[in-house]
mmCIF file with all atom_site columns, all heavy atoms in Angstrom:
data_model
loop_
_atom_site.group_PDB
_atom_site.id
_atom_site.type_symbol
_atom_site.label_atom_id
_atom_site.label_alt_id
_atom_site.label_comp_id
_atom_site.label_asym_id
_atom_site.label_entity_id
_atom_site.label_seq_id
_atom_site.pdbx_PDB_ins_code
_atom_site.Cartn_x
_atom_site.Cartn_y
_atom_site.Cartn_z
_atom_site.occupancy
_atom_site.B_iso_or_equiv
_atom_site.pdbx_formal_charge
_atom_site.auth_seq_id
_atom_site.auth_comp_id
_atom_site.auth_asym_id
_atom_site.auth_atom_id
_atom_site.pdbx_PDB_model_num
ATOM   1   N N   . LEU K 1 12  ? 128.504 187.000 72.849 1.00 43.00 ? 17  LEU K N   1
ATOM   2   C CA  . LEU K 1 12  ? 129.530 186.747 73.849 1.00 43.00 ? 17  LEU K CA  1
ATOM   3   C C   . LEU K 1 12  ? 130.321 188.114 74.097 1.00 43.00 ? 17  LEU K C   1
ATOM   4   O O   . LEU K 1 12  ? 130.527 188.390 75.275 1.00 43.00 ? 17  LEU K O   1
ATOM   5   C CB  . LEU K 1 12  ? 130.512 185.690 73.230 1.00 43.00 ? 17  LEU K CB  1
ATOM   6   C CG  . LEU K 1 12  ? 131.533 185.265 74.329 1.00 43.00 ? 17  LEU K CG  1
ATOM   7   C CD1 . LEU K 1 12  ? 130.854 184.394 75.412 1.00 43.00 ? 17  LEU K CD1 1
ATOM   8   C CD2 . LEU K 1 12  ? 132.511 184.469 73.667 1.00 43.00 ? 17  LEU K CD2 1
ATOM   9   N N   . CYS K 1 15  ? 128.345 190.191 76.279 1.00 42.00 ? 20  CYS K N   1
ATOM   10  C CA  . CYS K 1 15  ? 128.409 189.596 77.691 1.00 42.00 ? 20  CYS K CA  1
ATOM   11  C C   . CYS K 1 15  ? 129.840 189.997 78.314 1.00 42.00 ? 20  CYS K C   1
ATOM   12  O O   . CYS K 1 15  ? 129.905 190.553 79.391 1.00 42.00 ? 20  CYS K O   1
ATOM   13  C CB  . CYS K 1 15  ? 128.404 188.217 77.529 1.00 42.00 ? 20  CYS K CB  1
ATOM   14  S SG  . CYS K 1 15  ? 128.386 187.165 79.034 1.00 42.00 ? 20  CYS K SG  1
ATOM   15  N N   . ILE K 1 16  ? 130.797 189.918 77.460 1.00 37.00 ? 21  ILE K N   1
ATOM   16  C CA  . ILE K 1 16  ? 132.143 190.293 78.086 1.00 37.00 ? 21  ILE K CA  1
ATOM   17  C C   . ILE K 1 16  ? 132.279 191.624 78.314 1.00 37.00 ? 21  ILE K C   1
ATOM   18  O O   . ILE K 1 16  ? 132.884 192.194 79.400 1.00 37.00 ? 21  ILE K O   1
ATOM   19  C CB  . ILE K 1 16  ? 133.259 189.816 77.111 1.00 37.00 ? 21  ILE K CB  1
ATOM   20  C CG1 . ILE K 1 16  ? 133.275 188.288 77.274 1.00 37.00 ? 21  ILE K CG1 1
ATOM   21  C CG2 . ILE K 1 16  ? 134.610 190.350 77.415 1.00 37.00 ? 21  ILE K CG2 1
ATOM   22  C CD1 . ILE K 1 16  ? 134.121 187.524 76.089 1.00 37.00 ? 21  ILE K CD1 1
ATOM   23  N N   . LEU K 1 19  ? 130.702 192.711 81.499 1.00 37.00 ? 24  LEU K N   1
ATOM   24  C CA  . LEU K 1 19  ? 131.474 192.189 82.445 1.00 37.00 ? 24  LEU K CA  1
ATOM   25  C C   . LEU K 1 19  ? 132.656 193.222 82.826 1.00 37.00 ? 24  LEU K C   1
ATOM   26  O O   . LEU K 1 19  ? 132.996 193.324 83.932 1.00 37.00 ? 24  LEU K O   1
ATOM   27  C CB  . LEU K 1 19  ? 132.144 190.863 82.066 1.00 37.00 ? 24  LEU K CB  1
ATOM   28  C CG  . LEU K 1 19  ? 131.620 189.668 82.764 1.00 37.00 ? 24  LEU K CG  1
ATOM   29  C CD1 . LEU K 1 19  ? 132.164 188.326 82.255 1.00 37.00 ? 24  LEU K CD1 1
ATOM   30  C CD2 . LEU K 1 19  ? 131.742 189.616 84.193 1.00 37.00 ? 24  LEU K CD2 1
ATOM   31  N N   . ARG K 1 67  ? 135.287 190.007 88.768 1.00 96.00 ? 72  ARG K N   1
ATOM   32  C CA  . ARG K 1 67  ? 135.203 189.828 87.331 1.00 96.00 ? 72  ARG K CA  1
ATOM   33  C C   . ARG K 1 67  ? 134.263 188.570 87.090 1.00 96.00 ? 72  ARG K C   1
ATOM   34  O O   . ARG K 1 67  ? 133.352 188.720 86.224 1.00 96.00 ? 72  ARG K O   1
ATOM   35  C CB  . ARG K 1 67  ? 136.563 189.577 86.789 1.00 96.00 ? 72  ARG K CB  1
ATOM   36  C CG  . ARG K 1 67  ? 136.564 188.975 85.416 1.00 96.00 ? 72  ARG K CG  1
ATOM   37  C CD  . ARG K 1 67  ? 136.402 190.006 84.277 1.00 96.00 ? 72  ARG K CD  1
ATOM   38  N NE  . ARG K 1 67  ? 135.970 189.309 83.116 1.00 96.00 ? 72  ARG K NE  1
ATOM   39  C CZ  . ARG K 1 67  ? 136.533 189.560 82.002 1.00 96.00 ? 72  ARG K CZ  1
ATOM   40  N NH1 . ARG K 1 67  ? 137.741 190.178 82.008 1.00 96.00 ? 72  ARG K NH1 1
ATOM   41  N NH2 . ARG K 1 67  ? 136.008 188.974 80.983 1.00 96.00 ? 72  ARG K NH2 1
ATOM   42  N N   . CYS K 1 68  ? 134.447 187.609 87.911 1.00 97.00 ? 73  CYS K N   1
ATOM   43  C CA  . CYS K 1 68  ? 133.689 186.257 87.614 1.00 97.00 ? 73  CYS K CA  1
ATOM   44  C C   . CYS K 1 68  ? 133.583 185.457 88.865 1.00 97.00 ? 73  CYS K C   1
ATOM   45  O O   . CYS K 1 68  ? 134.399 185.840 89.799 1.00 97.00 ? 73  CYS K O   1
ATOM   46  C CB  . CYS K 1 68  ? 134.374 185.469 86.602 1.00 97.00 ? 73  CYS K CB  1
ATOM   47  S SG  . CYS K 1 68  ? 133.836 185.844 84.935 1.00 97.00 ? 73  CYS K SG  1
ATOM   48  N N   . HIS K 1 83  ? 135.512 182.193 79.189 1.00 95.00 ? 88  HIS K N   1
ATOM   49  C CA  . HIS K 1 83  ? 135.341 183.545 78.711 1.00 95.00 ? 88  HIS K CA  1
ATOM   50  C C   . HIS K 1 83  ? 135.587 184.649 79.611 1.00 95.00 ? 88  HIS K C   1
ATOM   51  O O   . HIS K 1 83  ? 135.701 185.794 79.317 1.00 95.00 ? 88  HIS K O   1
ATOM   52  C CB  . HIS K 1 83  ? 133.836 183.759 78.087 1.00 95.00 ? 88  HIS K CB  1
ATOM   53  C CG  . HIS K 1 83  ? 132.924 184.027 79.013 1.00 95.00 ? 88  HIS K CG  1
ATOM   54  N ND1 . HIS K 1 83  ? 132.072 183.075 79.708 1.00 95.00 ? 88  HIS K ND1 1
ATOM   55  C CD2 . HIS K 1 83  ? 132.563 185.085 79.641 1.00 95.00 ? 88  HIS K CD2 1
ATOM   56  C CE1 . HIS K 1 83  ? 131.194 183.704 80.380 1.00 95.00 ? 88  HIS K CE1 1
ATOM   57  N NE2 . HIS K 1 83  ? 131.571 184.835 80.442 1.00 95.00 ? 88  HIS K NE2 1
ATOM   58  N N   . CYS K 1 84  ? 136.033 184.166 80.928 1.00 96.00 ? 89  CYS K N   1
ATOM   59  C CA  . CYS K 1 84  ? 136.454 185.159 81.862 1.00 96.00 ? 89  CYS K CA  1
ATOM   60  C C   . CYS K 1 84  ? 137.877 185.572 81.644 1.00 96.00 ? 89  CYS K C   1
ATOM   61  O O   . CYS K 1 84  ? 138.271 186.602 82.279 1.00 96.00 ? 89  CYS K O   1
ATOM   62  C CB  . CYS K 1 84  ? 136.240 184.647 83.293 1.00 96.00 ? 89  CYS K CB  1
ATOM   63  S SG  . CYS K 1 84  ? 134.503 184.266 83.752 1.00 96.00 ? 89  CYS K SG  1
ATOM   64  N N   . TYR K 1 201 ? 117.122 178.158 71.897 1.00 95.00 ? 206 TYR K N   1
ATOM   65  C CA  . TYR K 1 201 ? 118.373 178.942 71.530 1.00 95.00 ? 206 TYR K CA  1
ATOM   66  C C   . TYR K 1 201 ? 118.802 178.649 70.032 1.00 95.00 ? 206 TYR K C   1
ATOM   67  O O   . TYR K 1 201 ? 119.784 179.040 69.543 1.00 95.00 ? 206 TYR K O   1
ATOM   68  C CB  . TYR K 1 201 ? 119.651 178.532 72.413 1.00 95.00 ? 206 TYR K CB  1
ATOM   69  C CG  . TYR K 1 201 ? 119.615 179.248 73.687 1.00 95.00 ? 206 TYR K CG  1
ATOM   70  C CD1 . TYR K 1 201 ? 119.086 178.635 74.903 1.00 95.00 ? 206 TYR K CD1 1
ATOM   71  C CD2 . TYR K 1 201 ? 120.153 180.615 73.839 1.00 95.00 ? 206 TYR K CD2 1
ATOM   72  C CE1 . TYR K 1 201 ? 119.172 179.454 76.075 1.00 95.00 ? 206 TYR K CE1 1
ATOM   73  C CE2 . TYR K 1 201 ? 120.263 181.168 75.016 1.00 95.00 ? 206 TYR K CE2 1
ATOM   74  C CZ  . TYR K 1 201 ? 119.684 180.569 76.127 1.00 95.00 ? 206 TYR K CZ  1
ATOM   75  O OH  . TYR K 1 201 ? 119.753 181.306 77.344 1.00 95.00 ? 206 TYR K OH  1
ATOM   76  N N   . ASP K 1 222 ? 117.517 183.586 87.941 1.00 94.00 ? 227 ASP K N   1
ATOM   77  C CA  . ASP K 1 222 ? 118.529 183.366 86.970 1.00 94.00 ? 227 ASP K CA  1
ATOM   78  C C   . ASP K 1 222 ? 119.864 183.717 87.465 1.00 94.00 ? 227 ASP K C   1
ATOM   79  O O   . ASP K 1 222 ? 119.985 184.571 88.479 1.00 94.00 ? 227 ASP K O   1
ATOM   80  C CB  . ASP K 1 222 ? 118.263 183.937 85.732 1.00 94.00 ? 227 ASP K CB  1
ATOM   81  C CG  . ASP K 1 222 ? 118.918 183.349 84.383 1.00 94.00 ? 227 ASP K CG  1
ATOM   82  O OD1 . ASP K 1 222 ? 119.718 182.389 84.585 1.00 94.00 ? 227 ASP K OD1 1
ATOM   83  O OD2 . ASP K 1 222 ? 118.717 183.929 83.249 1.00 94.00 ? 227 ASP K OD2 1
ATOM   84  N N   . SER K 1 223 ? 120.923 183.221 86.848 1.00 95.00 ? 228 SER K N   1
ATOM   85  C CA  . SER K 1 223 ? 122.208 183.787 87.046 1.00 95.00 ? 228 SER K CA  1
ATOM   86  C C   . SER K 1 223 ? 122.331 184.938 86.095 1.00 95.00 ? 228 SER K C   1
ATOM   87  O O   . SER K 1 223 ? 121.380 185.135 85.136 1.00 95.00 ? 228 SER K O   1
ATOM   88  C CB  . SER K 1 223 ? 123.322 182.939 86.837 1.00 95.00 ? 228 SER K CB  1
ATOM   89  O OG  . SER K 1 223 ? 123.152 182.114 85.555 1.00 95.00 ? 228 SER K OG  1
ATOM   90  N N   . CYS K 1 224 ? 123.305 185.914 86.158 1.00 93.00 ? 229 CYS K N   1
ATOM   91  C CA  . CYS K 1 224 ? 123.383 186.955 85.299 1.00 93.00 ? 229 CYS K CA  1
ATOM   92  C C   . CYS K 1 224 ? 124.912 187.504 85.148 1.00 93.00 ? 229 CYS K C   1
ATOM   93  O O   . CYS K 1 224 ? 125.599 186.818 85.600 1.00 93.00 ? 229 CYS K O   1
ATOM   94  C CB  . CYS K 1 224 ? 122.385 188.169 85.869 1.00 93.00 ? 229 CYS K CB  1
ATOM   95  S SG  . CYS K 1 224 ? 121.784 189.268 84.704 1.00 93.00 ? 229 CYS K SG  1
ATOM   96  N N   . GLN K 1 225 ? 125.025 188.617 84.339 1.00 92.00 ? 230 GLN K N   1
ATOM   97  C CA  . GLN K 1 225 ? 126.288 189.203 84.032 1.00 92.00 ? 230 GLN K CA  1
ATOM   98  C C   . GLN K 1 225 ? 127.186 189.246 85.370 1.00 92.00 ? 230 GLN K C   1
ATOM   99  O O   . GLN K 1 225 ? 126.606 189.827 86.398 1.00 92.00 ? 230 GLN K O   1
ATOM   100 C CB  . GLN K 1 225 ? 126.299 190.389 83.334 1.00 92.00 ? 230 GLN K CB  1
ATOM   101 C CG  . GLN K 1 225 ? 126.321 190.315 81.761 1.00 92.00 ? 230 GLN K CG  1
ATOM   102 C CD  . GLN K 1 225 ? 125.350 189.487 81.239 1.00 92.00 ? 230 GLN K CD  1
ATOM   103 O OE1 . GLN K 1 225 ? 124.142 189.549 81.717 1.00 92.00 ? 230 GLN K OE1 1
ATOM   104 N NE2 . GLN K 1 225 ? 125.591 188.719 80.271 1.00 92.00 ? 230 GLN K NE2 1
ATOM   105 N N   . GLY K 1 226 ? 128.310 188.709 85.311 1.00 94.00 ? 231 GLY K N   1
ATOM   106 C CA  . GLY K 1 226 ? 129.119 188.842 86.557 1.00 94.00 ? 231 GLY K CA  1
ATOM   107 C C   . GLY K 1 226 ? 129.086 187.551 87.394 1.00 94.00 ? 231 GLY K C   1
ATOM   108 O O   . GLY K 1 226 ? 129.953 187.230 88.397 1.00 94.00 ? 231 GLY K O   1
ATOM   109 N N   . ASP K 1 227 ? 128.174 186.655 87.120 1.00 96.00 ? 232 ASP K N   1
ATOM   110 C CA  . ASP K 1 227 ? 128.013 185.331 87.865 1.00 96.00 ? 232 ASP K CA  1
ATOM   111 C C   . ASP K 1 227 ? 128.859 184.345 87.079 1.00 96.00 ? 232 ASP K C   1
ATOM   112 O O   . ASP K 1 227 ? 128.995 183.270 87.560 1.00 96.00 ? 232 ASP K O   1
ATOM   113 C CB  . ASP K 1 227 ? 126.581 184.931 87.889 1.00 96.00 ? 232 ASP K CB  1
ATOM   114 C CG  . ASP K 1 227 ? 125.849 185.745 88.794 1.00 96.00 ? 232 ASP K CG  1
ATOM   115 O OD1 . ASP K 1 227 ? 126.261 186.107 89.944 1.00 96.00 ? 232 ASP K OD1 1
ATOM   116 O OD2 . ASP K 1 227 ? 124.672 186.130 88.581 1.00 96.00 ? 232 ASP K OD2 1
ATOM   117 N N   . SER K 1 228 ? 129.255 184.682 85.797 1.00 96.00 ? 233 SER K N   1
ATOM   118 C CA  . SER K 1 228 ? 129.947 183.606 84.914 1.00 96.00 ? 233 SER K CA  1
ATOM   119 C C   . SER K 1 228 ? 131.100 183.057 85.722 1.00 96.00 ? 233 SER K C   1
ATOM   120 O O   . SER K 1 228 ? 131.782 183.657 86.629 1.00 96.00 ? 233 SER K O   1
ATOM   121 C CB  . SER K 1 228 ? 130.514 184.394 83.753 1.00 96.00 ? 233 SER K CB  1
ATOM   122 O OG  . SER K 1 228 ? 129.468 184.539 82.781 1.00 96.00 ? 233 SER K OG  1
ATOM   123 N N   . VAL K 1 246 ? 128.478 178.723 85.320 1.00 97.00 ? 251 VAL K N   1
ATOM   124 C CA  . VAL K 1 246 ? 127.636 179.776 84.588 1.00 97.00 ? 251 VAL K CA  1
ATOM   125 C C   . VAL K 1 246 ? 128.435 180.208 83.379 1.00 97.00 ? 251 VAL K C   1
ATOM   126 O O   . VAL K 1 246 ? 129.565 180.626 83.301 1.00 97.00 ? 251 VAL K O   1
ATOM   127 C CB  . VAL K 1 246 ? 127.510 181.058 85.505 1.00 97.00 ? 251 VAL K CB  1
ATOM   128 C CG1 . VAL K 1 246 ? 126.705 182.173 84.938 1.00 97.00 ? 251 VAL K CG1 1
ATOM   129 C CG2 . VAL K 1 246 ? 126.857 180.684 86.877 1.00 97.00 ? 251 VAL K CG2 1
ATOM   130 N N   . SER K 1 247 ? 127.708 180.198 82.224 1.00 97.00 ? 252 SER K N   1
ATOM   131 C CA  . SER K 1 247 ? 128.274 180.551 80.998 1.00 97.00 ? 252 SER K CA  1
ATOM   132 C C   . SER K 1 247 ? 127.698 181.647 80.073 1.00 97.00 ? 252 SER K C   1
ATOM   133 O O   . SER K 1 247 ? 128.249 182.674 79.666 1.00 97.00 ? 252 SER K O   1
ATOM   134 C CB  . SER K 1 247 ? 128.540 179.279 80.199 1.00 97.00 ? 252 SER K CB  1
ATOM   135 O OG  . SER K 1 247 ? 129.016 179.556 78.769 1.00 97.00 ? 252 SER K OG  1
ATOM   136 N N   . PHE K 1 248 ? 126.342 181.487 79.866 1.00 95.00 ? 253 PHE K N   1
ATOM   137 C CA  . PHE K 1 248 ? 125.813 182.307 78.899 1.00 95.00 ? 253 PHE K CA  1
ATOM   138 C C   . PHE K 1 248 ? 124.196 182.329 79.029 1.00 95.00 ? 253 PHE K C   1
ATOM   139 O O   . PHE K 1 248 ? 123.626 181.509 79.589 1.00 95.00 ? 253 PHE K O   1
ATOM   140 C CB  . PHE K 1 248 ? 126.185 181.693 77.548 1.00 95.00 ? 253 PHE K CB  1
ATOM   141 C CG  . PHE K 1 248 ? 125.586 182.400 76.295 1.00 95.00 ? 253 PHE K CG  1
ATOM   142 C CD1 . PHE K 1 248 ? 126.064 183.624 75.910 1.00 95.00 ? 253 PHE K CD1 1
ATOM   143 C CD2 . PHE K 1 248 ? 124.387 181.947 75.654 1.00 95.00 ? 253 PHE K CD2 1
ATOM   144 C CE1 . PHE K 1 248 ? 125.518 184.278 74.789 1.00 95.00 ? 253 PHE K CE1 1
ATOM   145 C CE2 . PHE K 1 248 ? 123.934 182.601 74.559 1.00 95.00 ? 253 PHE K CE2 1
ATOM   146 C CZ  . PHE K 1 248 ? 124.406 183.820 74.115 1.00 95.00 ? 253 PHE K CZ  1
ATOM   147 N N   . GLY K 1 249 ? 123.559 183.444 78.418 1.00 94.00 ? 254 GLY K N   1
ATOM   148 C CA  . GLY K 1 249 ? 122.153 183.517 78.517 1.00 94.00 ? 254 GLY K CA  1
ATOM   149 C C   . GLY K 1 249 ? 121.724 184.729 77.668 1.00 94.00 ? 254 GLY K C   1
ATOM   150 O O   . GLY K 1 249 ? 122.440 185.539 77.341 1.00 94.00 ? 254 GLY K O   1
ATOM   151 N N   . ILE K 1 250 ? 120.388 184.689 77.323 1.00 92.00 ? 255 ILE K N   1
ATOM   152 C CA  . ILE K 1 250 ? 119.854 185.797 76.607 1.00 92.00 ? 255 ILE K CA  1
ATOM   153 C C   . ILE K 1 250 ? 119.137 186.546 77.749 1.00 92.00 ? 255 ILE K C   1
ATOM   154 O O   . ILE K 1 250 ? 118.207 186.022 78.264 1.00 92.00 ? 255 ILE K O   1
ATOM   155 C CB  . ILE K 1 250 ? 118.722 185.531 75.608 1.00 92.00 ? 255 ILE K CB  1
ATOM   156 C CG1 . ILE K 1 250 ? 119.446 184.432 74.530 1.00 92.00 ? 255 ILE K CG1 1
ATOM   157 C CG2 . ILE K 1 250 ? 118.215 186.678 74.852 1.00 92.00 ? 255 ILE K CG2 1
ATOM   158 C CD1 . ILE K 1 250 ? 118.395 183.964 73.525 1.00 92.00 ? 255 ILE K CD1 1
ATOM   159 N N   . GLY K 1 251 ? 119.566 187.752 78.083 1.00 90.00 ? 256 GLY K N   1
ATOM   160 C CA  . GLY K 1 251 ? 119.161 188.437 79.128 1.00 90.00 ? 256 GLY K CA  1
ATOM   161 C C   . GLY K 1 251 ? 119.258 187.685 80.384 1.00 90.00 ? 256 GLY K C   1
ATOM   162 O O   . GLY K 1 251 ? 120.045 186.694 80.467 1.00 90.00 ? 256 GLY K O   1
ATOM   163 N N   . CYS K 1 252 ? 118.599 188.033 81.396 1.00 92.00 ? 257 CYS K N   1
ATOM   164 C CA  . CYS K 1 252 ? 118.445 187.134 82.598 1.00 92.00 ? 257 CYS K CA  1
ATOM   165 C C   . CYS K 1 252 ? 117.058 187.137 83.163 1.00 92.00 ? 257 CYS K C   1
ATOM   166 O O   . CYS K 1 252 ? 116.266 187.966 83.073 1.00 92.00 ? 257 CYS K O   1
ATOM   167 C CB  . CYS K 1 252 ? 119.402 187.954 83.707 1.00 92.00 ? 257 CYS K CB  1
ATOM   168 S SG  . CYS K 1 252 ? 121.001 188.379 83.195 1.00 92.00 ? 257 CYS K SG  1
ATOM   169 N N   . GLY K 1 253 ? 116.754 185.882 83.636 1.00 92.00 ? 258 GLY K N   1
ATOM   170 C CA  . GLY K 1 253 ? 115.465 185.728 84.179 1.00 92.00 ? 258 GLY K CA  1
ATOM   171 C C   . GLY K 1 253 ? 114.308 185.910 83.358 1.00 92.00 ? 258 GLY K C   1
ATOM   172 O O   . GLY K 1 253 ? 113.126 186.022 83.789 1.00 92.00 ? 258 GLY K O   1
ATOM   173 N N   . PRO K 1 258 ? 116.015 179.579 79.721 1.00 96.00 ? 263 PRO K N   1
ATOM   174 C CA  . PRO K 1 258 ? 116.986 179.109 80.699 1.00 96.00 ? 263 PRO K CA  1
ATOM   175 C C   . PRO K 1 258 ? 118.462 179.601 80.517 1.00 96.00 ? 263 PRO K C   1
ATOM   176 O O   . PRO K 1 258 ? 118.691 180.171 79.298 1.00 96.00 ? 263 PRO K O   1
ATOM   177 C CB  . PRO K 1 258 ? 117.071 177.548 80.616 1.00 96.00 ? 263 PRO K CB  1
ATOM   178 C CG  . PRO K 1 258 ? 116.838 177.374 79.120 1.00 96.00 ? 263 PRO K CG  1
ATOM   179 C CD  . PRO K 1 258 ? 115.917 178.545 78.634 1.00 96.00 ? 263 PRO K CD  1
ATOM   180 N N   . GLY K 1 259 ? 119.270 179.622 81.558 1.00 97.00 ? 264 GLY K N   1
ATOM   181 C CA  . GLY K 1 259 ? 120.645 180.011 81.365 1.00 97.00 ? 264 GLY K CA  1
ATOM   182 C C   . GLY K 1 259 ? 121.375 178.869 80.800 1.00 97.00 ? 264 GLY K C   1
ATOM   183 O O   . GLY K 1 259 ? 120.945 177.680 81.006 1.00 97.00 ? 264 GLY K O   1
ATOM   184 N N   . ILE K 1 260 ? 122.569 179.016 80.170 1.00 97.00 ? 265 ILE K N   1
ATOM   185 C CA  . ILE K 1 260 ? 123.339 178.049 79.639 1.00 97.00 ? 265 ILE K CA  1
ATOM   186 C C   . ILE K 1 260 ? 124.619 177.818 80.591 1.00 97.00 ? 265 ILE K C   1
ATOM   187 O O   . ILE K 1 260 ? 125.309 178.851 80.980 1.00 97.00 ? 265 ILE K O   1
ATOM   188 C CB  . ILE K 1 260 ? 123.797 178.249 78.224 1.00 97.00 ? 265 ILE K CB  1
ATOM   189 C CG1 . ILE K 1 260 ? 122.503 178.186 77.314 1.00 97.00 ? 265 ILE K CG1 1
ATOM   190 C CG2 . ILE K 1 260 ? 124.900 177.098 77.764 1.00 97.00 ? 265 ILE K CG2 1
ATOM   191 C CD1 . ILE K 1 260 ? 122.811 178.410 75.861 1.00 97.00 ? 265 ILE K CD1 1
ATOM   192 N N   . TYR K 1 261 ? 124.821 176.621 80.948 1.00 98.00 ? 266 TYR K N   1
ATOM   193 C CA  . TYR K 1 261 ? 126.007 176.199 81.879 1.00 98.00 ? 266 TYR K CA  1
ATOM   194 C C   . TYR K 1 261 ? 126.789 175.264 81.234 1.00 98.00 ? 266 TYR K C   1
ATOM   195 O O   . TYR K 1 261 ? 126.328 174.376 80.567 1.00 98.00 ? 266 TYR K O   1
ATOM   196 C CB  . TYR K 1 261 ? 125.279 175.691 83.259 1.00 98.00 ? 266 TYR K CB  1
ATOM   197 C CG  . TYR K 1 261 ? 124.571 176.699 84.040 1.00 98.00 ? 266 TYR K CG  1
ATOM   198 C CD1 . TYR K 1 261 ? 123.244 176.969 83.655 1.00 98.00 ? 266 TYR K CD1 1
ATOM   199 C CD2 . TYR K 1 261 ? 124.979 177.392 85.072 1.00 98.00 ? 266 TYR K CD2 1
ATOM   200 C CE1 . TYR K 1 261 ? 122.465 177.849 84.277 1.00 98.00 ? 266 TYR K CE1 1
ATOM   201 C CE2 . TYR K 1 261 ? 124.363 178.345 85.744 1.00 98.00 ? 266 TYR K CE2 1
ATOM   202 C CZ  . TYR K 1 261 ? 122.916 178.548 85.326 1.00 98.00 ? 266 TYR K CZ  1
ATOM   203 O OH  . TYR K 1 261 ? 122.269 179.527 85.993 1.00 98.00 ? 266 TYR K OH  1
HETATM 204 N N1  . LIG J 2 .   ? 128.141 185.689 80.286 1.00 90.15 ? 11  LIG J N1  1
HETATM 205 C C1  . LIG J 2 .   ? 127.752 186.201 81.619 1.00 90.15 ? 11  LIG J C1  1
HETATM 206 C C2  . LIG J 2 .   ? 128.892 186.456 82.384 1.00 90.15 ? 11  LIG J C2  1
HETATM 207 O O1  . LIG J 2 .   ? 129.899 186.580 81.766 1.00 90.15 ? 11  LIG J O1  1
HETATM 208 C C3  . LIG J 2 .   ? 126.804 185.088 82.272 1.00 90.15 ? 11  LIG J C3  1
HETATM 209 C C4  . LIG J 2 .   ? 125.436 185.071 81.810 1.00 90.15 ? 11  LIG J C4  1
HETATM 210 C C5  . LIG J 2 .   ? 124.517 184.159 82.356 1.00 90.15 ? 11  LIG J C5  1
HETATM 211 N N2  . LIG J 2 .   ? 123.318 184.508 81.904 1.00 90.15 ? 11  LIG J N2  1
HETATM 212 C C6  . LIG J 2 .   ? 122.125 183.904 82.303 1.00 90.15 ? 11  LIG J C6  1
HETATM 213 N N3  . LIG J 2 .   ? 121.016 184.355 81.848 1.00 90.15 ? 11  LIG J N3  1
HETATM 214 N N4  . LIG J 2 .   ? 122.133 182.845 83.054 1.00 90.15 ? 11  LIG J N4  1
HETATM 215 O O2  . LIG J 2 .   ? 128.875 186.908 83.548 1.00 90.15 ? 11  LIG J O2  1
#
Side-chain angles (χ1 to χ4, degrees):
L17 187 71
C20 184
I21 289 166
L24 252 176
R72 164 82 204 238
C73 270
H88 82 260
C89 299
Y206 279 96
D227 198 358
S228 51
C229 206
Q230 266 56 41
D232 290 318
S233 277
V251 180
S252 175
F253 179 76
I255 305 177
C257 308
I265 298 183
Y266 295 79

